Amino acid sequence: MEIRRATPDDAAGMGRVLREIVARTGKERPTDVAFVTSRYLADPTSIRCTVAIADDGEVVGFQSLKVAGPGNPYDTPDGWGIIGTHISPRAHRQGVGTKLFAASKRAAFDAGLEKIDAYIAADNPMGLRYYDAMGFRTYREPDGIVQKVLVLAA
């Protein structure tokens, strides 16, 4: 498996990962190339978007790390990181998330972040367990959501 910075050429594969997640969870979300490009690849708040590429060349997961600014949709404090993880159901339990997070954590340190926020649906036990395993801890629970924070040590 290859872990590397996402490029515009990965947008279609990233959209496919999102469609696979929608098919599994039933939770609708945009999955088209234009959405993936604007939300993950061309967002001016992006610090790094990392993809996991399987041996067959297919994108099987990606992780986005952004910096929170005023009015962000997650109500994350300004200057914190915001992380989002999207892994194809066919790649679960293969270490994809751990490998993606290693790259994101390095990028967070390089960007000088002190904290990273993860905004997870309360009915997503796999996501909640993943962030717990990566060292995140719950700091607030708005309706239907669990927000976890990772404090980065210098």
Side-chain angles (χ1 to χ4, degrees):
M1 179 180 318
E2 178 185 8
I3 303 296
R4 62 168 170 74
R5 184 178 296 273
T7 71
D9 290 339
D10 297 315
M14 293 165 67
R16 186 180 54 259
V17 167
L18 293 174
R19 285 189 296 282
E20 291 170 357
I21 293 169
V22 166
R24 173 104 180 237
T25 65
K27 293 182 180 183
E28 287 297 323
R29 66 169 62 197
T31 62
D32 58 279
V33 168
F35 170 79
V36 169
T37 300
S38 67
R39 179 74 171 257
Y40 302 110
L41 301 173
D43 185 328
T45 66
S46 180
I47 294 171
R48 181 178 170 116
C49 186
T50 305
V51 290
I53 308 295
D55 293 341
D56 65 3
E58 294 292 323
V59 175
V60 292
F62 65 97
Q63 191 166 69
S64 170
L65 179 65
K66 302 176 181 192
V67 65
N72 69 77
Y74 310 104
D75 198 27
T76 300
D78 290 359
W80 286 23
I82 299 172
I83 197 166
T85 306
H86 310 280
I87 299 172
S88 168
R90 61 191 160 89
H92 285 176
R93 307 201 52 79
Q94 296 178 21
V96 175
T98 301
K99 291 174 183 170
L100 287 169
F101 186 64
S104 293
K105 192 173 182 181
R106 276 191 308 277
F109 277 116
D110 291 348
L113 296 179
E114 294 180 8
K115 295 180 181 179
I116 304 173
D117 173 284
Y119 186 93
I120 309 127
D123 65 353
N124 179 355
M126 185 175 288
L128 294 168
R129 285 191 306 271
Y130 166 74
Y131 284 108
D132 283 343
M134 296 302 108
F136 287 72
R137 298 296 170 248
T138 300
Y139 76 98
R140 93 175 140 197
E141 297 183 49
D143 190 37
I145 299 297
V146 177
Q147 280 184 272
K148 295 184 174 286
V149 63
L150 177 70
V151 177
L152 297 167

